[in-house]
Every structure is written in C-alpha cells, then in structure tokens.
C-alpha cells in the first residue's frame, strides 16, 4: 500500500514538472501579443558566452535568467521562446539549422529603469556543429545525448 502511494506521488511530481515546463505565457509587446514557453525539446537552458566570456546570457528552466549587454552588468530577466497559443514552438528550419525568436524582459532592478518592454532577439540551433546562439554572438554547445 505504501509503495502505491509513493509511486502515485512520484508520477504526479513528474507530470507536474513536465507540464509546468510546457506552460504557455501570453506577453504584450509593442508589436502586439505573443505567446512564449521555455521548453522546445532542446537543451536551451544554460550559459551563453561571448567569445568564451562576458557579456553572457543565462537561461534557467523556470523562465528566469540573466542578460548582460556589452559593457553593462548582468541583469535579471524573464524569457521565453515564441510559440503558438497551443504551445507549438515557432521556428524556421534551414539546411542544418533552426531559427527561433527569443523574447526577454528585464526585471525591475534599478529605480531608473523606465524601459521594461519585451525585447526580441534571434535564437538559432546549428545541428552540424552542436551549437546554439543568441543574437548570433552568445554561444553554447550541447551534445546529442542532451537532446
């Protein structure tokens, strides 16, 4: 009996975790409303480096992270990959690439912040080199096993 209860809670926990990662969020931008999610079946979370160092972008599974502009400190963000209302990620497939739209918004950390709009940057996956890029300059490697 105890084993059944434990198994039930384990199944519920895994179901809840996978469901929460696939949650679709509607955002309001200058160009209209869009939908985002943080999971696209690739290991997109992690730290993206510029020439092996700063400035960086860090994406966490929970849709938070850090975005560092050139010659600026790291700032906390909320982020997501654009998708349809139903949750299907929107992308353009190339020969050995896939191009997505990454939306991020700085969280209020400075009193002088007046621009808390959502920002759109390109996010690409290059399958032949096993690399991912944000804005074509912040890079992270991944392995086929992670996929």
């Amino acid at each position: 009996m105890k084993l059944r209860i434990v198994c039930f809670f384990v199944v519920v926990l895994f179901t809840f975790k996978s469901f929460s990662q696939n949650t679709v969020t509607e955002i309001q931008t200058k160009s209209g409303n869009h939908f985002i999610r943080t999971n696209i079946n690739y290991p997109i979370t992690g730290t993206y480096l510029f020439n092996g160092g700063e400035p960086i972008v860090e994406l966490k599974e929970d849709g938070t992270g850090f975005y560092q502009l050139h010659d600026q400190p790291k700032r906390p963000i909320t982020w997501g990959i654009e998708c349809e209302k139903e949750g299907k990620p929107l992308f353009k497939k190339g020969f050995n690439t896939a191009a997505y739209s990454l939306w991020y918004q700085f969280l209020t950390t400075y009193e002088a912040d007046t621009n808390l709009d959502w920002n759109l940057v390109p996010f690409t996956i290059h399958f032949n080199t096993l690399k991912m890029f944000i804005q074509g300059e912040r890079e992270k490697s991944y392995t086929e096993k992670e996929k």
Side-chain angles (χ1 to χ4, degrees):
M1 183 67 174
K2 286 183 181 182
L3 182 59
R4 284 185 179 179
I5 293 172
V6 170
C7 288
F8 173 76
F9 282 112
V10 168
V11 168
V12 169
L13 178 66
F14 282 114
T15 302
F16 179 73
K17 182 174 179 173
S18 65
F19 176 76
S20 67
Q21 289 179 345
N22 294 320
T23 302
V24 175
T25 303
E26 185 174 5
I27 61 172
Q28 295 178 357
T29 73
K30 289 180 180 179
S31 65
N33 291 354
H34 298 271
F35 299 94
I36 60 172
R37 63 185 285 176
T38 59
N39 184 322
I40 61 168
N41 296 326
Y42 280 93
I44 62 175
T45 58
T47 303
Y48 294 76
L49 305 174
F50 176 79
N51 291 332
E54 290 187 349
I56 68 157
V57 175
E58 182 181 342
L59 304 179
K60 297 180 182 179
E61 284 185 30
D62 65 359
T64 64
F66 293 94
Y67 205 106
Q68 184 178 21
L69 300 173
H70 288 274
D71 300 321
Q72 298 284 322
K74 291 189 298 187
R75 295 178 58 195
I77 60 166
T78 300
W79 68 274
I81 299 291
E82 188 160 9
C83 65
E84 294 176 353
K85 187 176 185 177
E86 298 77 27
K88 181 180 176 188
L90 298 173
F91 67 98
K92 292 183 182 176
K93 184 150 177 54
F95 179 66
N96 277 320
T97 63
Y100 296 82
S101 296
L102 173 71
W103 289 94
Y104 74 92
Q105 179 185 47
F106 287 116
L107 300 177
T108 304
T109 55
Y110 305 105
E111 287 183 24
D113 277 342
T114 57
N115 182 6
L116 297 177
D117 294 330
W118 284 91
N119 301 287
L120 174 64
V121 293
F123 177 89
T124 56
I125 301 174
H126 299 255
F127 305 116
N128 57 343
T129 60
L130 300 176
K131 293 184 186 277
M132 299 178 186
F133 292 88
I134 295 175
Q135 284 189 279
E137 65 178 23
R138 319 291 171 89
E139 174 186 331
K140 178 187 110 125
S141 296
Y142 72 99
T143 64
E144 282 293 327
K145 187 182 275 190
E146 289 176 300
K147 179 186 166 202

